[in-house]
Amino acid sequence: MTSLERWLAALFLVLLPSCAGSAPAPAPAPAPAPAPQGGPEAPSEVRFYALDCGRADIKDMAAFGDDGPPRELVASCYLIRHPRGTLLWDTGISDAIAETKGGVVHPPSGIRFHVETPLRERLRALKLTPADVQYVAFSHLHVDHAGNANLFPTSTWILQRRELEWATATPPPPTVDPALISAYREAKLQLLDGEADLFGDGAVRIVPTPGHTPGHQTLIVRLRRAGTLVISGDLCHTHGNWKERRVPPFNTDREESIRSMERIHALVDATRARFVVQHEPDDLAALPRFPAYLD
């Protein structure tokens, strides 16, 4: 072999790997975007879960601006799983009451509270822990809506500024238990002075509806299939409250309460929303039974 032939053979061996295939190698698949919170992977669409977070035996419905015989009201909570985070609306009656068979009487009100399944167990059914809940929003800070607030010291608490100022006054209002909300001192606070679009896409909105308490607020959730839902908080306690504009005597401002109900009535009509009275057992029962959900 001549020197020229030896040089050409060597060049061929050097070029062989790059000439073996004409198509470029495929680019590696991009890594999946991390979920915005712990626990299971975030859903691709908004999911709405309704939770039974305790029951209340009411002996005198006149105390709630209603008529009729003694009855049971539900303390419902709502979990919204959004691609950008998880929100819990209200935390219900304290899980500690589940330890007492027959429930516990709340001394200031005389109401007997019951909890069958603790909130922590409800979350566990979705493979979530309290630390996986990025946001906790409170309609207001009464004991039956903020009973498990202290389970969420690492979450962002969302409430109206007026509500926190009212609930943490000295002495506290009789319907607020400071021990149940003491974690507000370490939690990240998102204090509102009006409306909020939580995820910036109109899917989860919070609107102020003062009157029941100074900083009461109501939740609006827009779902792709199920449409718009409006979750009352204690804007009203019963269907009678809602239809007849009845106001419980212990509300902090009667006129403000009526104005708030009128505004939400107009919103429900304009958006053809489904209105959920948060304390009505029938309204909870009409939603998918947990852990089923609306989307």
mmCIF file of all heavy atoms in Angstrom, residues 40-41 43 45-53 76-82 86-89 122-123 125-128 219 221 223 229 231 284 287-295:
data_model
loop_
_atom_site.group_PDB
_atom_site.id
_atom_site.type_symbol
_atom_site.label_atom_id
_atom_site.label_comp_id
_atom_site.label_asym_id
_atom_site.label_seq_id
_atom_site.Cartn_x
_atom_site.Cartn_y
_atom_site.Cartn_z
ATOM 1 N N PRO A 40 -49.129 14.392 45.432
ATOM 2 C CA PRO A 40 -49.269 13.892 44.062
ATOM 3 C C PRO A 40 -49.081 15.006 43.051
ATOM 4 O O PRO A 40 -49.198 16.196 43.358
ATOM 5 C CB PRO A 40 -50.698 13.344 44.040
ATOM 6 C CG PRO A 40 -51.409 14.069 45.130
ATOM 7 C CD PRO A 40 -50.376 14.301 46.191
ATOM 8 N N GLU A 41 -48.820 14.596 41.820
ATOM 9 C CA GLU A 41 -48.601 15.564 40.749
ATOM 10 C C GLU A 41 -49.827 16.448 40.569
ATOM 11 O O GLU A 41 -50.968 16.001 40.692
ATOM 12 C CB GLU A 41 -48.305 14.812 39.444
ATOM 13 C CG GLU A 41 -47.955 15.713 38.272
ATOM 14 C CD GLU A 41 -47.642 14.910 37.022
ATOM 15 O OE1 GLU A 41 -47.577 13.667 37.113
ATOM 16 O OE2 GLU A 41 -47.460 15.533 35.955
ATOM 17 N N PRO A 43 -52.881 18.392 38.977
ATOM 18 C CA PRO A 43 -53.743 18.013 37.855
ATOM 19 C C PRO A 43 -53.573 18.985 36.699
ATOM 20 O O PRO A 43 -53.120 20.115 36.870
ATOM 21 C CB PRO A 43 -55.151 18.101 38.452
ATOM 22 C CG PRO A 43 -55.017 19.133 39.526
ATOM 23 C CD PRO A 43 -53.641 18.953 40.097
ATOM 24 N N GLU A 45 -56.126 20.131 34.999
ATOM 25 C CA GLU A 45 -57.272 21.027 35.053
ATOM 26 C C GLU A 45 -57.711 21.207 36.500
ATOM 27 O O GLU A 45 -57.342 20.426 37.377
ATOM 28 C CB GLU A 45 -58.436 20.462 34.231
ATOM 29 C CG GLU A 45 -58.160 20.395 32.740
ATOM 30 C CD GLU A 45 -59.372 19.937 31.954
ATOM 31 O OE1 GLU A 45 -60.109 19.075 32.453
ATOM 32 O OE2 GLU A 45 -59.577 20.461 30.853
ATOM 33 N N VAL A 46 -58.518 22.224 36.737
ATOM 34 C CA VAL A 46 -58.983 22.516 38.092
ATOM 35 C C VAL A 46 -59.945 21.430 38.557
ATOM 36 O O VAL A 46 -60.859 21.028 37.834
ATOM 37 C CB VAL A 46 -59.672 23.895 38.141
ATOM 38 C CG1 VAL A 46 -60.149 24.200 39.554
ATOM 39 C CG2 VAL A 46 -58.723 24.986 37.642
ATOM 40 N N ARG A 47 -59.742 20.961 39.774
ATOM 41 C CA ARG A 47 -60.626 19.974 40.396
ATOM 42 C C ARG A 47 -61.187 20.549 41.689
ATOM 43 O O ARG A 47 -60.473 21.205 42.451
ATOM 44 C CB ARG A 47 -59.871 18.676 40.701
ATOM 45 C CG ARG A 47 -59.387 17.929 39.468
ATOM 46 C CD ARG A 47 -58.626 16.673 39.864
ATOM 47 N NE ARG A 47 -58.141 15.948 38.690
ATOM 48 C CZ ARG A 47 -57.392 14.850 38.757
ATOM 49 N NH1 ARG A 47 -57.060 14.350 39.946
ATOM 50 N NH2 ARG A 47 -56.990 14.254 37.648
ATOM 51 N N PHE A 48 -62.443 20.246 41.956
ATOM 52 C CA PHE A 48 -63.163 20.813 43.103
ATOM 53 C C PHE A 48 -63.706 19.672 43.954
ATOM 54 O O PHE A 48 -64.529 18.876 43.490
ATOM 55 C CB PHE A 48 -64.295 21.705 42.581
ATOM 56 C CG PHE A 48 -65.202 22.267 43.635
ATOM 57 C CD1 PHE A 48 -64.933 23.487 44.223
ATOM 58 C CD2 PHE A 48 -66.353 21.581 44.008
ATOM 59 C CE1 PHE A 48 -65.791 24.015 45.181
ATOM 60 C CE2 PHE A 48 -67.216 22.102 44.960
ATOM 61 C CZ PHE A 48 -66.931 23.321 45.549
ATOM 62 N N TYR A 49 -63.249 19.585 45.195
ATOM 63 C CA TYR A 49 -63.670 18.536 46.119
ATOM 64 C C TYR A 49 -64.485 19.162 47.259
ATOM 65 O O TYR A 49 -64.100 20.200 47.814
ATOM 66 C CB TYR A 49 -62.464 17.837 46.741
ATOM 67 C CG TYR A 49 -61.535 17.139 45.781
ATOM 68 C CD1 TYR A 49 -60.522 17.841 45.129
ATOM 69 C CD2 TYR A 49 -61.638 15.767 45.560
ATOM 70 C CE1 TYR A 49 -59.645 17.195 44.260
ATOM 71 C CE2 TYR A 49 -60.765 15.112 44.701
ATOM 72 C CZ TYR A 49 -59.769 15.839 44.057
ATOM 73 O OH TYR A 49 -58.902 15.193 43.210
ATOM 74 N N ALA A 50 -65.590 18.516 47.628
ATOM 75 C CA ALA A 50 -66.413 18.949 48.760
ATOM 76 C C ALA A 50 -66.198 17.982 49.922
ATOM 77 O O ALA A 50 -66.287 16.767 49.754
ATOM 78 C CB ALA A 50 -67.888 18.983 48.366
ATOM 79 N N LEU A 51 -65.911 18.531 51.108
ATOM 80 C CA LEU A 51 -65.577 17.725 52.276
ATOM 81 C C LEU A 51 -66.543 18.028 53.413
ATOM 82 O O LEU A 51 -66.856 19.192 53.681
ATOM 83 C CB LEU A 51 -64.152 18.022 52.764
ATOM 84 C CG LEU A 51 -62.959 17.627 51.910
ATOM 85 C CD1 LEU A 51 -62.826 18.513 50.675
ATOM 86 C CD2 LEU A 51 -61.672 17.740 52.739
ATOM 87 N N ASP A 52 -66.980 16.980 54.089
ATOM 88 C CA ASP A 52 -67.760 17.127 55.317
ATOM 89 C C ASP A 52 -66.764 17.314 56.455
ATOM 90 O O ASP A 52 -66.047 16.389 56.831
ATOM 91 C CB ASP A 52 -68.620 15.878 55.534
ATOM 92 C CG ASP A 52 -69.531 15.985 56.749
ATOM 93 O OD1 ASP A 52 -69.177 16.704 57.705
ATOM 94 O OD2 ASP A 52 -70.587 15.318 56.766
ATOM 95 N N CYS A 53 -66.715 18.521 57.013
ATOM 96 C CA CYS A 53 -65.743 18.834 58.068
ATOM 97 C C CYS A 53 -66.405 19.013 59.424
ATOM 98 O O CYS A 53 -65.915 19.767 60.279
ATOM 99 C CB CYS A 53 -64.956 20.089 57.692
ATOM 100 S SG CYS A 53 -63.872 19.866 56.266
ATOM 101 N N SER A 76 -69.028 22.455 56.059
ATOM 102 C CA SER A 76 -68.334 21.894 54.897
ATOM 103 C C SER A 76 -67.084 22.706 54.566
ATOM 104 O O SER A 76 -66.998 23.900 54.851
ATOM 105 C CB SER A 76 -69.265 21.833 53.685
ATOM 106 O OG SER A 76 -69.815 23.106 53.396
ATOM 107 N N CYS A 77 -66.117 22.013 53.977
ATOM 108 C CA CYS A 77 -64.884 22.627 53.497
ATOM 109 C C CYS A 77 -64.740 22.256 52.020
ATOM 110 O O CYS A 77 -65.379 21.313 51.544
ATOM 111 C CB CYS A 77 -63.657 22.100 54.245
ATOM 112 S SG CYS A 77 -63.764 22.158 56.037
ATOM 113 N N TYR A 78 -63.873 22.951 51.321
ATOM 114 C CA TYR A 78 -63.719 22.703 49.882
ATOM 115 C C TYR A 78 -62.245 22.761 49.516
ATOM 116 O O TYR A 78 -61.527 23.700 49.912
ATOM 117 C CB TYR A 78 -64.537 23.720 49.071
ATOM 118 C CG TYR A 78 -65.994 23.634 49.431
ATOM 119 C CD1 TYR A 78 -66.515 24.377 50.485
ATOM 120 C CD2 TYR A 78 -66.832 22.737 48.778
ATOM 121 C CE1 TYR A 78 -67.839 24.250 50.860
ATOM 122 C CE2 TYR A 78 -68.161 22.604 49.148
ATOM 123 C CZ TYR A 78 -68.660 23.358 50.201
ATOM 124 O OH TYR A 78 -69.962 23.215 50.582
ATOM 125 N N LEU A 79 -61.810 21.757 48.781
ATOM 126 C CA LEU A 79 -60.422 21.684 48.336
ATOM 127 C C LEU A 79 -60.403 21.893 46.832
ATOM 128 O O LEU A 79 -61.115 21.209 46.094
ATOM 129 C CB LEU A 79 -59.822 20.319 48.686
ATOM 130 C CG LEU A 79 -58.320 20.189 48.433
ATOM 131 C CD1 LEU A 79 -57.532 20.862 49.562
ATOM 132 C CD2 LEU A 79 -57.909 18.720 48.336
ATOM 133 N N ILE A 80 -59.597 22.840 46.393
ATOM 134 C CA ILE A 80 -59.459 23.124 44.967
ATOM 135 C C ILE A 80 -58.034 22.814 44.558
ATOM 136 O O ILE A 80 -57.088 23.404 45.080
ATOM 137 C CB ILE A 80 -59.795 24.598 44.641
ATOM 138 C CG1 ILE A 80 -61.273 24.881 44.924
ATOM 139 C CG2 ILE A 80 -59.513 24.899 43.179
ATOM 140 C CD1 ILE A 80 -61.544 25.424 46.291
ATOM 141 N N ARG A 81 -57.900 21.843 43.641
ATOM 142 C CA ARG A 81 -56.572 21.502 43.111
ATOM 143 C C ARG A 81 -56.447 22.140 41.735
ATOM 144 O O ARG A 81 -57.149 21.784 40.805
ATOM 145 C CB ARG A 81 -56.376 19.986 43.045
ATOM 146 C CG ARG A 81 -56.495 19.320 44.421
ATOM 147 C CD ARG A 81 -55.553 18.140 44.565
ATOM 148 N NE ARG A 81 -54.172 18.568 44.501
ATOM 149 C CZ ARG A 81 -53.188 17.853 43.949
ATOM 150 N NH1 ARG A 81 -53.454 16.690 43.394
ATOM 151 N NH2 ARG A 81 -51.962 18.307 43.939
ATOM 152 N N HIS A 82 -55.556 23.092 41.645
ATOM 153 C CA HIS A 82 -55.321 23.876 40.438
ATOM 154 C C HIS A 82 -53.943 23.505 39.922
ATOM 155 O O HIS A 82 -53.061 23.128 40.714
ATOM 156 C CB HIS A 82 -55.394 25.371 40.790
ATOM 157 C CG HIS A 82 -55.334 26.307 39.632
ATOM 158 N ND1 HIS A 82 -54.163 26.608 38.975
ATOM 159 C CD2 HIS A 82 -56.310 27.047 39.025
ATOM 160 C CE1 HIS A 82 -54.419 27.472 38.008
ATOM 161 N NE2 HIS A 82 -55.706 27.761 38.010
ATOM 162 N N THR A 86 -52.657 24.212 45.362
ATOM 163 C CA THR A 86 -53.811 23.640 46.048
ATOM 164 C C THR A 86 -54.330 24.631 47.077
ATOM 165 O O THR A 86 -53.566 25.176 47.870
ATOM 166 C CB THR A 86 -53.434 22.316 46.728
ATOM 167 O OG1 THR A 86 -53.084 21.354 45.729
ATOM 168 C CG2 THR A 86 -54.585 21.763 47.551
ATOM 169 N N LEU A 87 -55.651 24.852 47.062
ATOM 170 C CA LEU A 87 -56.307 25.761 47.997
ATOM 171 C C LEU A 87 -57.319 24.981 48.822
ATOM 172 O O LEU A 87 -58.114 24.207 48.284
ATOM 173 C CB LEU A 87 -57.032 26.870 47.233
ATOM 174 C CG LEU A 87 -58.039 27.705 48.044
ATOM 175 C CD1 LEU A 87 -57.315 28.635 48.999
ATOM 176 C CD2 LEU A 87 -58.976 28.484 47.138
ATOM 177 N N LEU A 88 -57.309 25.207 50.138
ATOM 178 C CA LEU A 88 -58.358 24.707 51.022
ATOM 179 C C LEU A 88 -59.199 25.891 51.462
ATOM 180 O O LEU A 88 -58.666 26.877 51.971
ATOM 181 C CB LEU A 88 -57.749 24.008 52.239
ATOM 182 C CG LEU A 88 -58.752 23.475 53.273
ATOM 183 C CD1 LEU A 88 -59.610 22.367 52.682
ATOM 184 C CD2 LEU A 88 -58.024 22.984 54.525
ATOM 185 N N TRP A 89 -60.514 25.795 51.230
ATOM 186 C CA TRP A 89 -61.437 26.851 51.648
ATOM 187 C C TRP A 89 -62.100 26.421 52.949
ATOM 188 O O TRP A 89 -62.860 25.464 52.991
ATOM 189 C CB TRP A 89 -62.491 27.072 50.568
ATOM 190 C CG TRP A 89 -63.579 28.043 50.936
ATOM 191 C CD1 TRP A 89 -64.848 27.729 51.344
ATOM 192 C CD2 TRP A 89 -63.516 29.477 50.912
ATOM 193 N NE1 TRP A 89 -65.577 28.867 51.567
ATOM 194 C CE2 TRP A 89 -64.773 29.968 51.305
ATOM 195 C CE3 TRP A 89 -62.508 30.384 50.584
ATOM 196 C CZ2 TRP A 89 -65.062 31.330 51.389
ATOM 197 C CZ3 TRP A 89 -62.789 31.741 50.660
ATOM 198 C CH2 TRP A 89 -64.043 32.200 51.060
ATOM 199 N N ARG A 122 -59.134 13.200 55.616
ATOM 200 C CA ARG A 122 -59.672 13.543 54.296
ATOM 201 C C ARG A 122 -58.533 13.871 53.327
ATOM 202 O O ARG A 122 -58.532 13.429 52.175
ATOM 203 C CB ARG A 122 -60.601 14.758 54.409
ATOM 204 C CG ARG A 122 -61.772 14.597 55.347
ATOM 205 C CD ARG A 122 -62.893 13.840 54.725
ATOM 206 N NE ARG A 122 -64.082 13.865 55.587
ATOM 207 C CZ ARG A 122 -65.139 13.109 55.414
ATOM 208 N NH1 ARG A 122 -65.188 12.268 54.403
ATOM 209 N NH2 ARG A 122 -66.177 13.179 56.228
ATOM 210 N N LEU A 123 -57.583 14.646 53.792
ATOM 211 C CA LEU A 123 -56.439 14.981 52.946
ATOM 212 C C LEU A 123 -55.630 13.736 52.598
ATOM 213 O O LEU A 123 -55.175 13.565 51.465
ATOM 214 C CB LEU A 123 -55.548 16.008 53.652
ATOM 215 C CG LEU A 123 -56.162 17.384 53.914
ATOM 216 C CD1 LEU A 123 -55.182 18.254 54.701
ATOM 217 C CD2 LEU A 123 -56.544 18.074 52.617
ATOM 218 N N ALA A 125 -56.630 10.828 52.128
ATOM 219 C CA ALA A 125 -57.305 10.058 51.074
ATOM 220 C C ALA A 125 -56.885 10.531 49.689
ATOM 221 O O ALA A 125 -56.983 9.773 48.719
ATOM 222 C CB ALA A 125 -58.816 10.170 51.235
ATOM 223 N N LEU A 126 -56.411 11.770 49.587
ATOM 224 C CA LEU A 126 -55.919 12.309 48.316
ATOM 225 C C LEU A 126 -54.399 12.304 48.259
ATOM 226 O O LEU A 126 -53.797 12.933 47.389
ATOM 227 C CB LEU A 126 -56.435 13.743 48.120
ATOM 228 C CG LEU A 126 -57.946 13.915 48.039
ATOM 229 C CD1 LEU A 126 -58.300 15.379 47.875
ATOM 230 C CD2 LEU A 126 -58.534 13.099 46.895
ATOM 231 N N LYS A 127 -53.779 11.603 49.205
ATOM 232 C CA LYS A 127 -52.318 11.520 49.304
ATOM 233 C C LYS A 127 -51.694 12.896 49.537
ATOM 234 O O LYS A 127 -50.612 13.206 49.048
ATOM 235 C CB LYS A 127 -51.719 10.848 48.056
ATOM 236 C CG LYS A 127 -52.224 9.431 47.837
ATOM 237 C CD LYS A 127 -51.589 8.782 46.625
ATOM 238 C CE LYS A 127 -52.109 7.361 46.422
ATOM 239 N NZ LYS A 127 -51.514 6.705 45.231
ATOM 240 N N LEU A 128 -52.406 13.688 50.317
ATOM 241 C CA LEU A 128 -51.918 15.016 50.683
ATOM 242 C C LEU A 128 -51.707 15.080 52.190
ATOM 243 O O LEU A 128 -52.414 14.428 52.967
ATOM 244 C CB LEU A 128 -52.930 16.095 50.287
ATOM 245 C CG LEU A 128 -53.191 16.332 48.799
ATOM 246 C CD1 LEU A 128 -54.387 17.256 48.618
ATOM 247 C CD2 LEU A 128 -51.960 16.924 48.121
ATOM 248 N N LEU A 219 -66.346 32.531 48.088
ATOM 249 C CA LEU A 219 -65.495 31.889 47.092
ATOM 250 C C LEU A 219 -66.252 31.678 45.785
ATOM 251 O O LEU A 219 -67.407 31.236 45.787
ATOM 252 C CB LEU A 219 -65.008 30.534 47.624
ATOM 253 C CG LEU A 219 -64.124 29.691 46.703
ATOM 254 C CD1 LEU A 219 -62.762 30.343 46.501
ATOM 255 C CD2 LEU A 219 -63.963 28.285 47.270
ATOM 256 N N VAL A 221 -65.633 29.681 42.087
ATOM 257 C CA VAL A 221 -64.783 28.724 41.375
ATOM 258 C C VAL A 221 -65.379 28.489 39.989
ATOM 259 O O VAL A 221 -66.581 28.179 39.859
ATOM 260 C CB VAL A 221 -64.682 27.384 42.133
ATOM 261 C CG1 VAL A 221 -63.772 26.418 41.385
ATOM 262 C CG2 VAL A 221 -64.163 27.604 43.550
ATOM 263 N N LEU A 223 -65.202 26.159 36.703
ATOM 264 C CA LEU A 223 -64.736 24.857 36.237
ATOM 265 C C LEU A 223 -65.095 24.678 34.767
ATOM 266 O O LEU A 223 -66.115 25.196 34.294
ATOM 267 C CB LEU A 223 -65.374 23.741 37.067
ATOM 268 C CG LEU A 223 -65.095 23.805 38.577
ATOM 269 C CD1 LEU A 223 -65.975 22.807 39.315
ATOM 270 C CD2 LEU A 223 -63.618 23.535 38.875
ATOM 271 N N LEU A 229 -69.299 27.900 40.357
ATOM 272 C CA LEU A 229 -69.892 27.652 41.667
ATOM 273 C C LEU A 229 -69.567 28.832 42.574
ATOM 274 O O LEU A 229 -68.460 29.362 42.539
ATOM 275 C CB LEU A 229 -69.347 26.377 42.308
ATOM 276 C CG LEU A 229 -69.708 25.044 41.664
ATOM 277 C CD1 LEU A 229 -68.660 24.667 40.619
ATOM 278 C CD2 LEU A 229 -69.800 23.944 42.715
ATOM 279 N N ILE A 231 -69.525 29.624 46.584
ATOM 280 C CA ILE A 231 -69.570 28.996 47.903
ATOM 281 C C ILE A 231 -69.819 30.088 48.937
ATOM 282 O O ILE A 231 -69.024 31.012 49.079
ATOM 283 C CB ILE A 231 -68.266 28.242 48.206
ATOM 284 C CG1 ILE A 231 -67.910 27.298 47.044
ATOM 285 C CG2 ILE A 231 -68.387 27.478 49.514
ATOM 286 C CD1 ILE A 231 -68.965 26.276 46.710
ATOM 287 N N LEU A 284 -74.458 20.076 50.307
ATOM 288 C CA LEU A 284 -73.256 19.241 50.305
ATOM 289 C C LEU A 284 -73.555 17.893 49.653
ATOM 290 O O LEU A 284 -72.769 17.394 48.835
ATOM 291 C CB LEU A 284 -72.741 19.047 51.725
ATOM 292 C CG LEU A 284 -71.534 18.118 51.867
ATOM 293 C CD1 LEU A 284 -70.305 18.686 51.155
ATOM 294 C CD2 LEU A 284 -71.209 17.865 53.349
ATOM 295 N N LEU A 287 -73.419 17.558 45.838
ATOM 296 C CA LEU A 287 -72.111 17.581 45.183
ATOM 297 C C LEU A 287 -71.528 16.168 45.160
ATOM 298 O O LEU A 287 -71.955 15.303 45.935
ATOM 299 C CB LEU A 287 -71.170 18.532 45.929
ATOM 300 C CG LEU A 287 -71.567 20.014 45.868
ATOM 301 C CD1 LEU A 287 -70.786 20.813 46.911
ATOM 302 C CD2 LEU A 287 -71.320 20.576 44.475
ATOM 303 N N PRO A 288 -70.562 15.893 44.277
ATOM 304 C CA PRO A 288 -69.968 14.545 44.250
ATOM 305 C C PRO A 288 -69.431 14.149 45.622
ATOM 306 O O PRO A 288 -68.792 14.951 46.306
ATOM 307 C CB PRO A 288 -68.830 14.692 43.235
ATOM 308 C CG PRO A 288 -69.262 15.799 42.328
ATOM 309 C CD PRO A 288 -69.997 16.768 43.221
ATOM 310 N N ARG A 289 -69.728 12.925 45.995
ATOM 311 C CA ARG A 289 -69.307 12.457 47.325
ATOM 312 C C ARG A 289 -67.794 12.246 47.346
ATOM 313 O O ARG A 289 -67.247 11.526 46.511
ATOM 314 C CB ARG A 289 -70.028 11.157 47.676
ATOM 315 C CG ARG A 289 -69.732 10.677 49.089
ATOM 316 C CD ARG A 289 -70.632 9.517 49.466
ATOM 317 N NE ARG A 289 -70.372 9.061 50.821
ATOM 318 C CZ ARG A 289 -71.057 8.106 51.445
ATOM 319 N NH1 ARG A 289 -72.066 7.513 50.809
ATOM 320 N NH2 ARG A 289 -70.755 7.757 52.668
ATOM 321 N N PHE A 290 -67.138 12.876 48.296
ATOM 322 C CA PHE A 290 -65.695 12.772 48.437
ATOM 323 C C PHE A 290 -65.267 11.306 48.490
ATOM 324 O O PHE A 290 -65.916 10.506 49.143
ATOM 325 C CB PHE A 290 -65.256 13.495 49.714
ATOM 326 C CG PHE A 290 -63.783 13.543 49.932
ATOM 327 C CD1 PHE A 290 -63.016 14.517 49.338
ATOM 328 C CD2 PHE A 290 -63.144 12.595 50.727
ATOM 329 C CE1 PHE A 290 -61.648 14.572 49.527
ATOM 330 C CE2 PHE A 290 -61.779 12.642 50.916
ATOM 331 C CZ PHE A 290 -61.039 13.626 50.312
ATOM 332 N N PRO A 291 -64.191 10.933 47.765
ATOM 333 C CA PRO A 291 -63.208 11.762 47.067
ATOM 334 C C PRO A 291 -63.496 12.037 45.581
ATOM 335 O O PRO A 291 -62.591 12.421 44.859
ATOM 336 C CB PRO A 291 -61.929 10.948 47.222
ATOM 337 C CG PRO A 291 -62.396 9.525 47.168
ATOM 338 C CD PRO A 291 -63.732 9.534 47.880
ATOM 339 N N ALA A 292 -64.737 11.839 45.134
ATOM 340 C CA ALA A 292 -65.070 12.255 43.778
ATOM 341 C C ALA A 292 -65.039 13.779 43.705
ATOM 342 O O ALA A 292 -65.044 14.462 44.735
ATOM 343 C CB ALA A 292 -66.445 11.730 43.394
ATOM 344 N N TYR A 293 -65.006 14.329 42.501
ATOM 345 C CA TYR A 293 -64.826 15.765 42.366
ATOM 346 C C TYR A 293 -65.529 16.293 41.119
ATOM 347 O O TYR A 293 -65.927 15.523 40.239
ATOM 348 C CB TYR A 293 -63.323 16.117 42.280
ATOM 349 C CG TYR A 293 -62.576 15.435 41.159
ATOM 350 C CD1 TYR A 293 -62.560 15.974 39.868
ATOM 351 C CD2 TYR A 293 -61.893 14.231 41.372
ATOM 352 C CE1 TYR A 293 -61.881 15.348 38.835
ATOM 353 C CE2 TYR A 293 -61.214 13.595 40.339
ATOM 354 C CZ TYR A 293 -61.205 14.156 39.085
ATOM 355 O OH TYR A 293 -60.528 13.528 38.052
ATOM 356 N N LEU A 294 -65.684 17.607 41.064
ATOM 357 C CA LEU A 294 -66.147 18.299 39.869
ATOM 358 C C LEU A 294 -64.942 18.869 39.134
ATOM 359 O O LEU A 294 -63.945 19.226 39.768
ATOM 360 C CB LEU A 294 -67.097 19.451 40.219
ATOM 361 C CG LEU A 294 -68.467 19.080 40.812
ATOM 362 C CD1 LEU A 294 -69.206 20.347 41.198
ATOM 363 C CD2 LEU A 294 -69.290 18.265 39.831
ATOM 364 N N ASP A 295 -65.020 18.977 37.814
ATOM 365 C CA ASP A 295 -63.958 19.633 37.066
ATOM 366 C C ASP A 295 -64.545 20.394 35.889
ATOM 367 O O ASP A 295 -65.759 20.518 35.776
ATOM 368 C CB ASP A 295 -62.897 18.606 36.619
ATOM 369 C CG ASP A 295 -63.466 17.497 35.738
ATOM 370 O OD1 ASP A 295 -64.655 17.576 35.327
ATOM 371 O OD2 ASP A 295 -62.718 16.547 35.438
#
